[in-house]
Amino acid sequence: MRRAPSRARDPDVQGVVERDGVRLAYEVFGQDHSPTVLLMPTWSIIPSRHWKAQVGHLARHYRVVTFDGRGSGRSDRPAGAAAYTDEEYAKDTVAVLDATGTEAAVLISLSCGGSWSVHVAAGSPERVLGLFAIAPACGFPVAQPEREQYAWGTRHEVRDGWARYNRYFWLEDDYDGFLAFFFGRMFSEPHSTKQIEDCIGWGREIAPQTLVDTTAGRIGCDGAVCLPIEPLCARVRCPVTVVHGTDDRIRPHAIGERLAESTGGSLVLLEGGGHGPHARDPVRINHLIREFVDRVCPRVERTAWTRAARRPKRALYLSSPIGLGHAQRDAAIAAELRVHHPDLRIDWLAQHPVTHVLADRGERIHPASGWLANESGHIEHESGEHDLHAFGAIRRMDEILVNNFMVFSDVVSAEHYDLVIGDEAWDVDYFLHENPELKRFSFAWMTDFVGWLPMPEGGAAEAALTADYNAEMLEQRARFRRVRDRSVFVGSPDDVVDDDFGPSLPRIRDWTAANFDFAGYVTGFDPAALQDADDLRDGLGIGADEKLCLVTVGGSGVGGSLLRRVLDAVPRVRNLVPELRFLFVTGPRIDPASLPVTSGVQVTGYLPDLYRHLAACDLAVVQGGLTTCMELTALRKPFVYVPLRNHFEQNFHVRHRLDRYGAGRCLRYEDALDPDALAEIVAKELTREIAYRPVETDGAARAAALLADLL
């Protein structure tokens, strides 16, 4: 069973309305806004969730209503073609408007939803403020020879191409094969693996017979009556905009041109776009929708503009919210950047738990941060018992990334920034390369790893996906080098793994060396200033003849399982080393009270300066995150690190770097399940001699110097 995904925004209202015995499930977002935007259903092969890249953004500006059309999602699936005519869908739309208390709405549609929108606008004009049709599949007589050579309702000997678009192929042959073919055609753009994967998953939720019924009703088979579209278009009186891709391999853009012409509407052609641009190019579609709605329903807004000469020097800093390590180093870099530019004002577009660190340091959190969808929550949602498939989790974070980029886009459109710094702000870097015309500032990209790497358990399929993601990044950088004014690697060239990006792709280390500046590692503190930790040990109640083991799992909520495994081993460790005391640090997203009380153990939550406690310990047991491991390396402390299972960064990138420094003992989580074995490992590591490679102490200053001239 597929895991329910994290959503960029949860609905304010969920409900069901029944019309003629058919239950229709709807959701309402942004309940207090106006006007209302109704995101129409489309062919029942996918539910209303296909609008996921639009909902979060639009609901910040408008009231948004979605509903699953009959035959899809949480709505009923009546039997027979007559239940799925255009007229039925149009009546369903009005029923949902009534049920949600919506007098009138702007209708946004995809594919055959365009026909149903026209029916509503023609039959109930007072309910429709405007029509925005994406890739409409209306019934205009536009020739498609490749498709029309195979009649939908007739058996064929051919089993490939458009012959798969056939009722008997769905019912008797290879429904999955049809889904793969259809959605491969729908997303004609390169690197569309996630959109295709989503749609195939949704398509499997619909029984082939239901798809047969919905198709027959739409095209007028099996007793269903299909009305011609042209007379209805002539009755449309509201504003209309049609958006159609020129590489639409489901319905040619000539159909969109006919709809715009027949309704007196405007036409936007997307050169090279396919049949699902709202999913493949969501930023452009979201902007087009907003432009249309604001034109149809103008609102009085107050804006201000500052002459260039009077604008203060400003930077917008985005720090990855997955854990706390980025916040620590970014705050240190920001402090060094102010040395170069004392008059610089830095705003932070940040999420919890990063806001914890920044608030403690007195940094300014941009108010728009409250609109961001939480990425740490998604990561926790994706995790299992000390298990996080990091690459898969980031792929499935797509709607959150779109939402958060749209927040960023709104901020930089309304305000003037000289510099944007993105520390692994994946959304900003990716969508700026996809929409380079939106760049109005200097942009610096920072990261401590380069290259998506497949886990062996994922086999050839995962290897193909990571190679595809890497290839897209390489193509973006080759075509739009101007998007990044600096690419800064937090580390040294030898810290980069020496793998390749994929078959026939460059070596990661060679490419990174040619395309990045290297700042060295950034700890955010001076280890030499922390050599005397007696006061802190005294405050923790650690006697002169006692030793301290610190156990911590970073800033996300993923590490609860490891904390409990170490707790299970504590009594056995203390039998071996009676003088050993333990401090468990749960971080900001795990409740300390959720851990059982254990003799010899103190438990605390978030510590703003965890590195000070690391300096006071004699040994640490940690997750495999880079920041804590490198802080321990810089402090020359023995430690055991347990990478999350299936986490490519911790298992490959972090481990490679730690091996280079000769630091830490890597332990598989499976080997931590036996309390006796874990106790022996912890006791042994206490006596390990330290011979780590020294860690740079000037990384923050070097990084700031690379950024300073961009201002």
Side-chain angles (χ1 to χ4, degrees):
M1 180 180 295
R2 292 201 304 168
R3 184 190 297 269
S6 304
R7 301 183 69 167
R9 178 166 181 150
D10 291 322
D12 300 321
V13 177
Q14 287 184 306
V16 174
V17 60
E18 185 172 318
R19 189 185 73 77
D20 289 350
V22 177
R23 290 160 40 89
L24 305 166
Y26 63 81
E27 295 181 331
V28 183
F29 306 81
Q31 180 77 334
D32 298 330
H33 298 321
S34 65
T36 295
V37 169
L38 175 58
L39 300 176
M40 293 285 290
T42 188
W43 190 25
S44 60
I45 198 169
I46 54 177
S48 59
R49 283 281 294 147
H50 75 88
W51 292 115
K52 65 180 182 175
Q54 282 66 55
V55 169
H57 172 63
L58 295 179
R60 286 195 291 107
H61 301 280
Y62 317 114
R63 180 172 179 262
V64 176
V65 177
T66 68
F67 75 99
D68 291 324
R70 52 178 59 211
S72 72
R74 296 184 298 117
S75 293
D76 285 348
R77 291 149 169 74
Y84 296 98
T85 63
D86 292 348
E87 291 81 359
E88 294 295 336
Y89 281 99
K91 292 176 182 177
D92 289 347
T93 302
V94 174
V96 169
L97 291 174
D98 291 340
T100 56
T102 306
E103 293 185 5
V106 179
L107 307 189
I108 314 294
S109 63
L110 171 72
S111 193
C112 55
S115 292
W116 306 333
S117 297
V118 168
H119 276 259
V120 177
S124 302
E126 73 284 0
R127 310 300 297 270
V128 181
L129 300 172
L131 299 183
F132 187 93
I134 304 169
C138 304
F140 291 104
V142 174
Q144 290 185 259
E146 182 187 15
R147 182 170 179 163
E148 292 164 358
Q149 63 180 311
Y150 303 111
W152 175 79
T154 303
R155 283 188 173 87
H156 304 290
E157 295 299 322
V158 180
R159 287 291 180 268
D160 58 8
W162 277 107
R164 300 181 181 190
Y165 188 83
N166 179 273
R167 68 189 303 163
Y168 299 105
F169 191 88
W170 304 347
L171 294 171
E172 302 170 1
D173 203 330
D174 184 7
Y175 183 61
D176 259 15
F178 162 69
L179 295 176
F181 162 76
F182 182 81
F183 291 120
R185 298 279 299 188
M186 179 171 176
F187 296 103
S188 56
E189 303 90 343
H191 311 299
S192 297
T193 57
K194 182 56 168 64
Q195 292 79 12
I196 294 171
E197 179 182 301
D198 281 345
C199 289
I200 289 176
W202 290 325
R204 288 172 177 159
E205 298 172 1
I206 304 299
Q209 183 58 58
T210 300
L211 200 64
V212 167
D213 288 344
T214 62
T215 305
R218 183 167 50 84
I219 64 177
C221 294
D222 298 351
V225 177
C226 183
L227 298 178
I229 194 72
E230 291 94 334
L232 295 171
C233 290
R235 293 162 53 190
V236 173
R237 294 291 177 265
C238 64
V240 175
T241 287
V242 178
V243 177
H244 216 127
T246 62
D247 194 30
D248 189 329
R249 300 177 189 179
I250 301 297
R251 295 295 183 185
H253 62 86
I255 294 176
E257 293 171 350
R258 290 287 299 274
L259 178 60
E261 180 183 352
S262 300
T263 57
S266 58
L267 175 69
V268 178
L269 291 179
L270 304 177
E271 292 291 337
H275 194 64
H278 67 307
R280 193 59 187 84
D281 290 300
V283 171
R284 182 59 184 147
I285 293 299
N286 288 346
H287 282 143
L288 287 171
I289 291 174
R290 276 204 64 196
E291 291 168 9
F292 179 74
V293 176
D294 289 347
R295 175 167 61 84
V296 171
C297 306
R299 293 178 287 188
V300 177
E301 295 184 351
R302 182 176 179 177
T303 61
W305 180 80
T306 303
R307 295 189 66 249
R310 299 195 60 181
R311 294 173 192 167
K313 196 177 296 183
R314 300 178 69 195
L316 183 65
Y317 213 132
L318 300 98
S319 182
S320 172
I322 302 174
L324 288 173
H326 297 270
Q328 178 80 18
R329 75 184 184 207
D330 291 334
I333 293 169
E336 292 287 347
L337 192 55
R338 291 186 177 106
V339 173
H340 292 270
H341 297 279
D343 58 340
L344 176 64
R345 171 176 166 176
I346 300 177
D347 295 338
W348 296 79
L349 195 59
Q351 307 170 38
H352 187 273
V354 169
T355 48
H356 249 311
V357 176
L358 299 177
D360 288 341
R361 291 173 175 262
E363 296 285 356
R364 181 181 184 273
I365 312 298
H366 195 289
S369 298
W371 298 336
L372 297 170
N374 192 271
E375 296 175 23
S376 287
H378 167 80
I379 293 299
E380 292 159 14
H381 174 79
E382 289 275 335
S383 66
E385 182 179 346
H386 204 71
D387 191 333
L388 175 64
H389 196 291
F391 174 65
I394 290 175
R395 286 187 83 228
R396 288 185 288 272
M397 196 161 64
D398 51 348
E399 71 175 284
I400 291 175
L401 294 178
V402 174
N403 176 86
N404 292 350
F405 179 81
M406 297 308 300
V407 173
F408 166 81
S409 179
D410 284 353
V411 169
V412 296
S413 295
E415 304 179 49
H416 300 287
Y417 286 98
D418 300 278
L419 173 64
V420 170
I421 306 165
D423 185 352
E424 292 185 17
W426 303 107
D427 51 339
V428 173
D429 187 63
Y430 178 79
F431 286 114
L432 282 180
H433 280 88
E434 291 288 276
N435 304 269
E437 66 277 5
L438 298 181
K439 182 174 181 278
R440 310 166 54 200
F441 37 77
S442 295
F443 177 53
W445 168 251
M446 295 177 58
T447 186
D448 54 43
F449 80 93
V450 176
W452 308 102
L453 296 176
M455 296 302 296
E457 295 82 356
E462 185 170 330
L465 285 176
T466 55
D468 183 72
Y469 270 57
N470 288 331
E472 183 176 29
M473 181 274 292
L474 295 172
E475 292 167 13
Q476 288 177 332
R477 293 301 301 132
R479 175 63 181 86
F480 293 109
R481 293 187 64 84
R482 61 183 173 82
V483 167
R484 294 184 193 168
D485 298 281
R486 282 284 187 280
S487 294
V488 179
F489 186 85
V490 182
S492 304
D494 287 342
D495 292 329
V496 181
V497 296
D498 197 24
D499 298 275
D500 57 47
F501 284 108
S504 302
L505 296 175
R507 303 292 293 180
I508 296 175
R509 184 180 297 172
D510 293 343
W511 185 88
T512 305
N515 287 273
F516 276 76
D517 294 303
F518 293 86
Y521 193 71
V522 179
T523 60
F525 62 86
D526 180 4
L530 299 170
Q531 294 303 311
D532 185 3
D534 290 345
D535 290 345
L536 184 53
R537 290 174 67 92
D538 290 344
L540 293 171
I542 307 299
D545 57 346
E546 292 182 312
K547 295 184 181 296
L548 175 64
C549 178
L550 191 146
V551 184
T552 185
V553 291
S556 74
V558 176
S561 299
L562 179 60
L563 293 176
R564 290 176 176 83
R565 295 301 178 190
V566 180
L567 268 176
D568 291 342
V570 165
R572 294 163 175 83
V573 178
R574 299 196 75 211
N575 285 336
L576 297 172
V577 189
E579 70 273 20
L580 188 62
R581 299 272 299 277
F582 285 81
L583 175 64
F584 278 63
V585 182
T586 64
R589 296 185 68 84
I590 298 176
D591 183 1
S594 66
L595 298 181
V597 175
T598 305
S599 177
V601 174
Q602 296 181 57
V603 180
T604 188
Y606 165 68
L607 294 175
D609 292 324
L610 176 64
Y611 63 88
R612 297 184 182 278
H613 291 74
L614 297 177
C617 78
D618 299 285
L619 171 73
V621 180
V622 300
Q623 206 168 261
L626 179 65
T627 299
T628 304
C629 289
M630 286 299 292
E631 288 175 347
L632 289 163
T633 302
L635 293 164
R636 308 187 70 75
K637 299 291 181 178
F639 63 97
V640 177
Y641 67 99
V642 188
L644 288 165
R645 293 181 289 188
N646 291 307
H647 194 303
F648 77 94
E649 184 185 358
Q650 292 188 5
N651 283 278
F652 299 135
H653 293 280
V654 175
R655 184 167 184 179
H656 164 77
R657 190 183 299 224
L658 294 176
D659 286 348
R660 191 175 86 81
Y661 279 87
R665 172 170 177 174
C666 183
L667 183 68
R668 297 188 316 144
Y669 181 69
E670 289 78 7
D671 296 329
L673 298 179
D674 180 350
D676 291 314
L678 180 57
E680 291 182 5
I681 291 170
V682 170
K684 181 178 180 180
E685 289 303 307
L686 264 173
T687 62
R688 179 175 294 275
E689 292 188 12
I690 301 302
Y692 301 162
R693 179 191 297 268
V695 176
E696 304 95 326
T697 58
D698 61 347
R702 289 165 61 186
L706 290 168
L707 304 178
D709 65 333
L710 299 179
L711 288 161

